[in-house]
PDB file of all heavy atoms in Angstrom:
ATOM      1  N   ASN F  10      55.805  82.041  77.995  1.00 84.00           N
ATOM      2  CA  ASN F  10      54.624  81.895  77.132  1.00 84.00           C
ATOM      3  C   ASN F  10      54.696  80.579  76.397  1.00 84.00           C
ATOM      4  O   ASN F  10      55.714  80.278  75.689  1.00 84.00           O
ATOM      5  CB  ASN F  10      54.560  83.076  76.120  1.00 84.00           C
ATOM      6  CG  ASN F  10      54.389  84.398  76.824  1.00 84.00           C
ATOM      7  OD1 ASN F  10      53.613  84.516  77.747  1.00 84.00           O
ATOM      8  ND2 ASN F  10      55.132  85.418  76.379  1.00 84.00           N
ATOM      9  N   THR F  20      50.390  81.556  79.712  1.00 85.00           N
ATOM     10  CA  THR F  20      51.542  82.306  80.233  1.00 85.00           C
ATOM     11  C   THR F  20      51.753  81.930  81.693  1.00 85.00           C
ATOM     12  O   THR F  20      50.783  81.878  82.497  1.00 85.00           O
ATOM     13  CB  THR F  20      51.340  83.849  80.172  1.00 85.00           C
ATOM     14  OG1 THR F  20      51.201  84.196  78.779  1.00 85.00           O
ATOM     15  CG2 THR F  20      52.510  84.582  80.789  1.00 85.00           C
ATOM     16  N   PHE F  21      52.951  81.640  82.049  1.00 83.00           N
ATOM     17  CA  PHE F  21      53.355  81.338  83.390  1.00 83.00           C
ATOM     18  C   PHE F  21      54.333  82.381  83.902  1.00 83.00           C
ATOM     19  O   PHE F  21      55.196  82.846  83.148  1.00 83.00           O
ATOM     20  CB  PHE F  21      53.970  79.938  83.517  1.00 83.00           C
ATOM     21  CG  PHE F  21      53.123  78.820  82.981  1.00 83.00           C
ATOM     22  CD1 PHE F  21      53.161  78.436  81.634  1.00 83.00           C
ATOM     23  CD2 PHE F  21      52.210  78.201  83.885  1.00 83.00           C
ATOM     24  CE1 PHE F  21      52.309  77.413  81.201  1.00 83.00           C
ATOM     25  CE2 PHE F  21      51.402  77.180  83.405  1.00 83.00           C
ATOM     26  CZ  PHE F  21      51.475  76.779  82.039  1.00 83.00           C
ATOM     27  N   VAL F  25      61.803  86.062  90.739  1.00 74.00           N
ATOM     28  CA  VAL F  25      63.136  85.591  91.091  1.00 74.00           C
ATOM     29  C   VAL F  25      63.890  86.761  91.724  1.00 74.00           C
ATOM     30  O   VAL F  25      63.872  87.889  91.201  1.00 74.00           O
ATOM     31  CB  VAL F  25      63.909  85.075  89.866  1.00 74.00           C
ATOM     32  CG1 VAL F  25      65.335  84.694  90.247  1.00 74.00           C
ATOM     33  CG2 VAL F  25      63.213  83.885  89.230  1.00 74.00           C
ATOM     34  N   VAL F  40      99.019 103.001 108.417  1.00 81.00           N
ATOM     35  CA  VAL F  40     100.474 102.945 108.650  1.00 81.00           C
ATOM     36  C   VAL F  40     100.701 102.478 110.082  1.00 81.00           C
ATOM     37  O   VAL F  40     100.206 103.109 111.000  1.00 81.00           O
ATOM     38  CB  VAL F  40     101.143 104.260 108.392  1.00 81.00           C
ATOM     39  CG1 VAL F  40     102.655 104.147 108.649  1.00 81.00           C
ATOM     40  CG2 VAL F  40     100.936 104.734 106.969  1.00 81.00           C
ATOM     41  N   ALA F  80      98.831  91.699 113.879  1.00 95.00           N
ATOM     42  CA  ALA F  80     100.065  92.426 114.049  1.00 95.00           C
ATOM     43  C   ALA F  80     101.039  91.920 113.002  1.00 95.00           C
ATOM     44  O   ALA F  80     101.340  90.750 112.917  1.00 95.00           O
ATOM     45  CB  ALA F  80     100.627  92.205 115.469  1.00 95.00           C
ATOM     46  N   PHE F  87     101.656  95.687 102.568  1.00 96.00           N
ATOM     47  CA  PHE F  87     100.850  94.442 102.483  1.00 96.00           C
ATOM     48  C   PHE F  87      99.460  94.792 101.888  1.00 96.00           C
ATOM     49  O   PHE F  87      98.865  95.832 102.220  1.00 96.00           O
ATOM     50  CB  PHE F  87     100.664  93.863 103.851  1.00 96.00           C
ATOM     51  CG  PHE F  87     101.932  93.447 104.529  1.00 96.00           C
ATOM     52  CD1 PHE F  87     102.618  94.333 105.402  1.00 96.00           C
ATOM     53  CD2 PHE F  87     102.506  92.195 104.267  1.00 96.00           C
ATOM     54  CE1 PHE F  87     103.778  93.952 106.010  1.00 96.00           C
ATOM     55  CE2 PHE F  87     103.695  91.837 104.817  1.00 96.00           C
ATOM     56  CZ  PHE F  87     104.352  92.695 105.728  1.00 96.00           C
ATOM     57  N   ARG F 100      80.135  85.558  95.932  1.00 89.00           N
ATOM     58  CA  ARG F 100      81.261  86.160  96.579  1.00 89.00           C
ATOM     59  C   ARG F 100      81.465  87.606  96.108  1.00 89.00           C
ATOM     60  O   ARG F 100      81.137  87.993  95.019  1.00 89.00           O
ATOM     61  CB  ARG F 100      82.536  85.403  96.345  1.00 89.00           C
ATOM     62  CG  ARG F 100      82.566  84.013  96.941  1.00 89.00           C
ATOM     63  CD  ARG F 100      83.923  83.327  96.700  1.00 89.00           C
ATOM     64  NE  ARG F 100      84.008  82.050  97.357  1.00 89.00           N
ATOM     65  CZ  ARG F 100      85.098  81.316  97.380  1.00 89.00           C
ATOM     66  NH1 ARG F 100      86.241  81.787  96.763  1.00 89.00           N
ATOM     67  NH2 ARG F 100      85.118  80.135  97.967  1.00 89.00           N
ATOM     68  N   THR F 135     115.120 116.157 107.513  1.00 95.00           N
ATOM     69  CA  THR F 135     115.247 115.750 106.079  1.00 95.00           C
ATOM     70  C   THR F 135     114.353 114.561 105.758  1.00 95.00           C
ATOM     71  O   THR F 135     114.352 114.201 104.574  1.00 95.00           O
ATOM     72  CB  THR F 135     116.727 115.348 105.840  1.00 95.00           C
ATOM     73  OG1 THR F 135     117.085 114.270 106.720  1.00 95.00           O
ATOM     74  CG2 THR F 135     117.663 116.569 106.003  1.00 95.00           C
ATOM     75  N   SER F 144     110.135 116.360 118.094  1.00 96.00           N
ATOM     76  CA  SER F 144     110.558 117.234 119.148  1.00 96.00           C
ATOM     77  C   SER F 144     112.077 117.288 119.178  1.00 96.00           C
ATOM     78  O   SER F 144     112.760 116.341 118.716  1.00 96.00           O
ATOM     79  CB  SER F 144     110.020 116.792 120.527  1.00 96.00           C
ATOM     80  OG  SER F 144     110.449 115.483 120.860  1.00 96.00           O
ATOM     81  N   THR F 179     101.555 108.461 114.092  1.00 82.00           N
ATOM     82  CA  THR F 179     100.277 108.789 114.769  1.00 82.00           C
ATOM     83  C   THR F 179      99.976 107.836 115.875  1.00 82.00           C
ATOM     84  O   THR F 179      99.194 108.135 116.761  1.00 82.00           O
ATOM     85  CB  THR F 179      99.125 108.756 113.729  1.00 82.00           C
ATOM     86  OG1 THR F 179      99.171 107.476 113.080  1.00 82.00           O
ATOM     87  CG2 THR F 179      99.316 109.885 112.723  1.00 82.00           C
ATOM     88  N   PHE F 201     138.531 128.161 138.487  1.00 84.00           N
ATOM     89  CA  PHE F 201     139.641 128.543 139.384  1.00 84.00           C
ATOM     90  C   PHE F 201     139.433 127.918 140.721  1.00 84.00           C
ATOM     91  O   PHE F 201     138.299 127.560 141.127  1.00 84.00           O
ATOM     92  CB  PHE F 201     139.738 130.079 139.518  1.00 84.00           C
ATOM     93  CG  PHE F 201     138.648 130.768 140.221  1.00 84.00           C
ATOM     94  CD1 PHE F 201     138.729 130.950 141.595  1.00 84.00           C
ATOM     95  CD2 PHE F 201     137.461 131.193 139.553  1.00 84.00           C
ATOM     96  CE1 PHE F 201     137.740 131.573 142.278  1.00 84.00           C
ATOM     97  CE2 PHE F 201     136.455 131.816 140.248  1.00 84.00           C
ATOM     98  CZ  PHE F 201     136.601 132.016 141.593  1.00 84.00           C
TER      99      PHE F 201
END
Side-chain angles (χ1 to χ4, degrees):
N10 297 317
T20 299
F21 301 91
V25 177
V40 179
F87 300 94
R100 294 184 176 184
T135 58
S144 59
T179 54
F201 69 91

